[in-house]
Amino acid sequence: NVFIYSIIPFITQRALEHIKVNICSMNLPVTIVGCGAGLSFGFDGPTHHGNQDIAAMKSMPDMKILSPSDAVSSMLSANEAYKSNTPAYVRLDKGRFDQIYGEKDSISTGVKNIIISNEYNIISTGFMSSRSVKVAKMLSDAGYNVGVADVTTIKPLNKEALCDVITRSKAVFVVEEHSVVGGLASSVSDFITDNNLSVSFHRIGLPDKQIFEYGDREWILDLYNLSEEKIYNTIRNSITRENKIGGVF
């Protein structure tokens, strides 16, 4: 298995034709490691934003997409990619983040229930999973029962595990630091539609637009409603609205 590495927009989009023709068309065991998910390189501006990479890599046949959320799941993702014997993309962040996986945990199922709820659930990936845990605790303090499911394998999705989360939820909120087009939320939405599941669905991500801003990551995330406080407000307001109008968003 060959591992190649670069900053996310360079290795997934500038090299996309090479990935399609030279790797995926022959189903070669090459692992593409991208660094700088979402707005990790905020000070380097739009050329370095990694907000469309999942959409690009999902379109590649036979591509496995791994999106770790902490140091432990990053290490495990390297092992999963190595064992996959197919093209794989590992989406790494930049920096140090809260640990949500234990040393003895596994990511083999691709979906882990960090907080379990039978009412409302956040489905998230990468850096947004640790942020979602904090938001869920804020909502719990406000009297709302909100769980968090971390998706470490975006493609192929573990349909059984995803179905379990969705079918026990009144509403699901997919939170990701990626464009609302083509990311994890799009995969979850397709799954819900294809299986005729009855659940209120919301995507919370970066808008479908060119993000020209550069600067502190937290400042840009707040600008696009992905700070902890703004995610909390979005989910709380949606739940409140649902309760007022009888479960229809």
Side-chain angles (χ1 to χ4, degrees):
N1 198 321
V2 175
F3 280 70
I4 58 177
Y5 166 86
S6 187
I7 294 173
I8 278 176
F10 304 163
I11 204 166
T12 63
Q13 288 165 275
R14 293 189 187 184
L16 188 61
E17 181 69 11
H18 296 289
I19 293 169
K20 172 186 174 182
V21 175
N22 299 326
I23 298 175
C24 290
S25 68
M26 293 180 282
N27 197 24
L28 296 178
V30 176
T31 295
I32 300 154
V33 180
C35 176
L39 305 173
S40 301
F41 287 97
F43 282 103
D44 295 297
T47 58
H48 286 58
H49 293 336
N51 59 316
Q52 297 151 331
D53 56 306
I54 295 173
M57 300 305 276
K58 268 171 53 179
S59 69
M60 296 294 103
D62 300 313
M63 180 66 70
K64 183 170 187 174
I65 301 177
L66 297 158
S67 178
S69 53
D70 65 0
V72 174
S73 55
S74 295
M75 177 186 68
L76 294 172
S77 291
N79 292 331
E80 285 290 317
Y82 181 77
K83 293 185 297 183
S84 67
N85 205 37
T86 65
Y89 170 49
V90 180
R91 187 183 201 242
L92 296 180
D93 212 290
K94 183 174 77 75
R96 298 173 62 89
F97 304 103
D98 295 342
Q99 184 171 321
I100 58 178
Y101 284 82
E103 298 297 333
K104 296 182 179 180
D105 281 345
S106 169
I107 63 165
S108 59
T109 62
V111 179
K112 180 178 175 63
N113 291 296
I114 308 296
I115 302 173
I116 297 175
S117 170
N118 291 323
E119 284 196 83
Y120 305 99
N121 276 285
I122 300 171
I123 300 172
S124 55
T125 190
F127 163 60
M128 282 293 153
S129 288
S130 58
R131 173 150 296 187
S132 295
V133 169
K134 294 176 182 177
V135 169
K137 290 178 180 176
M138 292 165 63
L139 288 161
S140 176
D141 291 341
Y144 301 99
N145 184 4
V146 179
V148 177
D150 176 45
V151 179
T152 51
T153 302
I154 294 177
K155 183 184 177 182
L157 280 171
N158 183 330
K159 296 179 180 179
E160 183 177 345
L162 189 61
C163 187
D164 174 67
V165 175
I166 292 169
T167 54
R168 57 183 164 81
S169 303
K170 294 179 181 177
V172 293
F173 302 84
V174 181
V175 179
E176 60 183 327
E177 195 178 9
H178 184 278
S179 169
V180 292
V181 175
L184 174 61
S186 293
S187 294
V188 174
S189 175
D190 288 347
F191 178 78
I192 291 170
T193 302
D194 291 346
N195 291 277
N196 296 313
L197 300 179
S198 178
V199 66
S200 295
F201 169 80
H202 295 267
R203 60 185 86 211
I204 303 172
L206 295 168
D208 179 25
K209 60 167 284 188
Q210 295 290 348
I211 296 179
F212 290 111
E213 290 83 4
Y214 61 91
D216 179 74
R217 184 183 195 179
E218 287 300 327
W219 172 75
I220 305 175
L221 287 174
D222 184 70
L223 186 67
Y224 288 108
N225 300 314
L226 285 173
S227 64
E228 290 173 19
E229 181 180 359
K230 289 188 175 177
I231 295 171
Y232 164 81
N233 287 334
T234 297
I235 295 176
R236 184 196 61 188
N237 292 340
S238 294
I239 293 174
T240 301
R241 187 165 61 251
E242 178 194 54
N243 290 337
K244 283 182 179 179
I245 59 178
V248 180
F249 280 74

